Amino acid sequence: MEGWIKIFHDNVEGEQTVQALLTRGDSFGEECVVKCRSYPCSAQVMGRNAKCLIIPALSMRERLRDYPNIALKMLSSLADQ
């Protein structure tokens, strides 16, 4: 919602690999909602302040079933990524 978030994972050598830098309007983890699995990366606030909106996967899956147009928009976003 505001601020910057770094999405990363540590490789086998212990080095950090940055997957993305996110800011207002960005999203991540959609594929985990669809595939019913945990997100494979970590997140870190960059700078002093950040606000994130967290939508539980179960709630999101329910909305996708109830409102197929949301599912289509989500697929479109994933295709763009």
Side-chain angles (χ1 to χ4, degrees):
M1 295 178 65
E2 64 183 66
W4 289 89
I5 306 291
K6 175 175 69 174
I7 305 297
F8 68 95
H9 73 271
D10 294 325
N11 64 23
V12 292
E13 290 85 27
E15 298 169 336
Q16 195 177 85
T17 301
V18 176
Q19 298 295 312
L21 288 173
L22 307 175
T23 191
R24 185 181 190 130
D26 291 335
S27 64
F28 67 98
E30 298 93 335
E31 68 278 10
C32 296
V33 170
V34 174
K35 292 185 174 190
C36 299
R37 61 178 168 184
S38 299
Y39 195 67
C41 295
S42 299
Q44 178 182 3
V45 171
M46 303 302 294
R48 292 184 166 198
N49 299 313
K51 289 183 182 179
C52 296
L53 173 64
I54 299 171
I55 303 172
L58 180 59
S59 296
M60 191 67 206
R61 281 192 293 275
E62 288 173 357
R63 296 307 174 279
L64 294 175
R65 278 192 294 273
D66 294 343
Y67 302 96
N69 60 324
I70 295 174
L72 291 173
K73 288 180 181 181
M74 198 161 130
L75 283 172
S76 177
S77 174
L78 286 170
D80 289 343
Q81 293 176 22

